[in-house]
Amino acid sequence: MSVALSSRRRSIHRWRRRADAVGSAVLSVALLVWWLLPIYNMLLIALDPEGETEFKGDLWPSDPTLKAFAGVFFEGYWYLKDFWLQFGNSFFIGAMTMVLTALIGSLGSFALGRMWRGRAGVISTAALLLYTVPVYFLVIPFYLLMHKYGLNDTLWAVIAANVTFAVPYALLILQWYGRLVPLELDDAARIDGATPVQVYMRIYLPLMAPALAVIGILAFLTAWNEYLYQFILLSSPGNKTVAISLATFFDNEYTPWNYPAAASLIYALPPIVLFFAVRRCIAAGLGSRRFRQ
Amino acid sequence: MALMRRSLLQGSLGFAAGSPLARPYIANAQAKTMSAWFAQGFVEDEDIALRKAVAGYEKASGNKVELSIIPFAPQRQKIVSAITSGVVPDVTQNNPAEILPLYAWQDKWIETEDIVETQKARFSETALKSAQAYNDVTKKRAYYGVPLRGACVPCHTWKSLVEKADMKMADRPRTWEGYFDFYKKVQDNLRKKGERKVYGLGFQVTANGVDPAALFNAFMHGYGGQGIVTPEGNLNLDARIREAAIKAAEYLGGAYRDGYVPPSAINWNDADDNNAFHAKLMVMDVDGTISTEVAVKAKHPEWYFDEIVTDGLLYPTTNDGKPITCITAMLNAVIPKGAKNVPVAKEFLKFLIQPEVLQDTVETGLGRNLPPMPELAKTPFWQNPKDPHLKGYVQQGLLGPTQPDYYVFNPAMAEVYAQHVYSKAMIAVAKKGKATDAVDAAFNEIKEIFAKYPIKQS
């Protein structure tokens, strides 16, 4: 009787595990489809010879062509004439925003969290107040400020704006993450004669690498997808970015949508490459060999 | 280490000392360089023509124009940011058109009479009036714009849908109400034939964008209610205007209420009626410019040449058969106060408004933009007998009776549009309210707005 009961329980348990696995798989696939559907749709439009946006029920275009991708690569369409120059500008803005946000954020969190521990939370929370003002309303003050600094119509003006908006969040995350790094490590280093700069460079930065990678990617993505400040602060044709260029397509009823779709897919590559490049660094976490040492 | 620091300092000093010697050429060039923000064309040829004009000016003058071509819709944000902050380009456009009188009121433009004067005899009267505005600081009206191109509001019809309803385009009455009633009959016939999704009238009974105000103005004029603002800038809400407004609100809101307008129209934005028209959701649309037609020319030439009819030349008359004065909105070039290189900006604009230069920049727009000079309407481009739309459109918006929009006379009207006062009246009727009540409420709101913009009469 008890053997039969036990066998039945095992059977129920097996079924439950299978149902859980199937449920998880279905949910995962549904989420994946949900997330990837817009990108898939964009690919369909990019491959369509006319850039038709209407979905006619075909899972693959009947007459796919790489014409739009070639148009982007060789700057063949009139809105994409300076695509690679604009791509370079976007990348420069993204990269510098990433580096400066990580640098300022890590220095700030180090100073607030490791050196001046008293009211550090108040300062980092106060910085977050920036997010209570809609960025839209800060664009004119920023425009004026950048003019006063002589930075108007330069890529540095956009970088400055991006970094301003990215740093408070970076500070918050890095400060919280920094609490996982034992303060005893700093104290031990200081006893061994390490200066604050050495503590920052040799202990703090390496152990904060996962959080810095996350912050860096977020800052890069923010800069990469930002449009308003780029549009308002940049005017010269040589300073324009892909975000500004892609927006021009929306102002035209003639737009063959395969070109912006192809340009957007190409434009999406750097963040993906960047994410995979730093993924290992993020996964390493505090359990890394370096931390244990 | 010390050596490195010293050499770095020496290098920096050397660079700093050398900079002034290296800069005079740039500084000299900057003295003759001006910046211009222009709206991007709807086709590549428009941008090419603009660049060609700029290159022509640069070659003729030796000056340099830093031309920034910006998409039309977002250009507004950039201009408003620039004027608000005071960090301005040397030349830009009044986009949105209302900013010319609004910022002139605040004394934020440079006067342009000396530029306009060079071609004054050639410009249409409407173009000249549209370039002027009242300045509340100097208490006088002056030229602040330089006319570049215009646009008016024609009617667009799917001939194929009219014929599908077993009716003929030639049978359309020419008087105002009869003309629009015809499309109600088209819808009724289409319903009888089982066509459930096509509506007769594409009225923008919505509180979004600029289309509803243009539509309401067209109906005011159609009902003989021209002149809600006098050329001197005074508000005129007399019995004739009130009656026209009541009829306009009743017809437009009533058509929606009675199911002759697509239900989605209540939420339309500026481009939505174009899209709905192209999707054949309605038989006709009243919408500014012939972009509705031009947009499909490349992809569906059969639509452009055979199926869509523009009523510009055959624009309906008032109910008692009088021709209607059409409102032609003008796009002007403006020089903001604070511009660094006003003399070069003025010289550039004088070059730009030469007839041959204007013709090139306007005609490359495929007819979307009207020229500001009547002589430019007589070119083979506009008079092309093979084109079914251009001749009528230029007749309606330039050669026929026209007038500027009312915000030109008083910027209060720009606020009336922005507050969607007309839309509220139309929507009130659409929701089964009384047109008289809706118009009285609208007129009270208009009076309050105009009280903020008193114009001193000289």
Side-chain angles (χ1 to χ4, degrees), chain A residues 50-53 76-79 81-82 136 139-141 143-148 152-153 227-237 240 244-245 247-257, chain B residues 37 40-45 47-48 51 66-78 80-82 84-89 271 274 278 291-292 294-299 340 365-366 368:
Chain A
E50 302 297 327
E52 280 291 344
T53 51
Y77 190 69
W78 67 297
Y79 283 166
K81 277 202 171 134
D82 295 318
Y136 222 82
V139 72
I140 291 175
Y143 185 72
L144 202 59
L145 205 64
M146 289 302 128
H147 175 71
K148 283 188 179 158
N152 231 359
D153 198 19
Y227 163 73
L228 180 70
Y229 280 72
Q230 294 180 21
F231 174 68
I232 297 292
L233 295 171
L234 304 174
S235 295
S236 308
K240 289 195 174 159
I244 298 174
S245 171
T248 60
F249 284 93
F250 287 89
D251 206 44
N252 195 332
E253 292 147 9
Y254 303 93
T255 291
W257 290 103
Chain B
W37 293 356
Q40 177 179 277
F42 289 90
V43 287
E44 187 178 10
D45 286 350
D47 286 0
I48 291 172
R51 286 185 209 281
E66 268 178 10
L67 176 67
S68 189
I69 296 180
I70 303 164
F72 186 76
Q75 188 194 23
R76 300 164 178 221
Q77 298 168 341
K78 206 161 162 81
V80 171
S81 301
T84 308
S85 65
V87 183
V88 294
N274 300 50
H278 289 149
S291 63
T292 301
V294 172
V296 298
K297 189 177 179 183
K299 212 168 180 180
K340 291 194 184 93
L366 301 176
R368 178 190 287 268

Side-chain angles (χ1 to χ4, degrees), chain B residues 31-102:
Chain B
K32 289 189 171 183
T33 299
M34 58 154 282
S35 57
W37 293 356
F38 274 68
Q40 177 179 277
F42 289 90
V43 287
E44 187 178 10
D45 286 350
E46 270 187 273
D47 286 0
I48 291 172
L50 179 62
R51 286 185 209 281
K52 196 176 127 194
V54 167
Y57 168 72
E58 287 179 332
K59 197 178 170 190
S61 66
N63 293 330
K64 172 111 182 77
V65 179
E66 268 178 10
L67 176 67
S68 189
I69 296 180
I70 303 164
F72 186 76
Q75 188 194 23
R76 300 164 178 221
Q77 298 168 341
K78 206 161 162 81
I79 293 173
V80 171
S81 301
I83 305 288
T84 308
S85 65
V87 183
V88 294
D90 294 307
V91 171
T92 187
Q93 293 159 313
N94 62 323
N95 178 18
E98 299 92 316
I99 62 170
L100 197 156
L102 279 169

Side-chain angles (χ1 to χ4, degrees), chain A residues 43-52 56 58-68 258:
Chain A
L43 181 67
L44 288 186
I45 296 167
L47 292 173
D48 190 280
E50 302 297 327
E52 280 291 344
K56 291 167 185 159
D58 301 328
L59 291 177
W60 193 247
S62 53
D63 190 17
T65 169
L66 294 173
K67 183 183 86 174
N258 48 349

Side-chain angles (χ1 to χ4, degrees), chain B residues 3-18:
Chain B
L3 187 65
M4 273 180 70
R5 194 186 304 145
R6 195 178 302 150
S7 54
L8 183 73
L9 286 169
Q10 282 170 350
S12 304
L13 278 170
F15 181 76

Side-chain angles (χ1 to χ4, degrees), chain B residues 189-213:
Chain B
N189 282 5
L190 287 172
R191 291 284 182 278
K192 281 177 200 161
K193 295 184 88 166
E195 184 59 78
R196 313 303 305 167
K197 291 180 182 169
V198 181
Y199 293 82
L201 300 160
F203 294 154
Q204 302 96 339
V205 187
T206 171
N208 297 317
V210 296
D211 283 349

Side-chain angles (χ1 to χ4, degrees), chain B residues 113-123 349-350 353:
Chain B
E113 186 161 9
D114 52 335
I115 306 167
V116 176
E117 194 64 45
T118 59
Q119 305 292 341
K120 198 171 183 178
R122 289 191 158 102
F123 281 122
L349 289 178
K350 283 176 191 170
I353 57 169

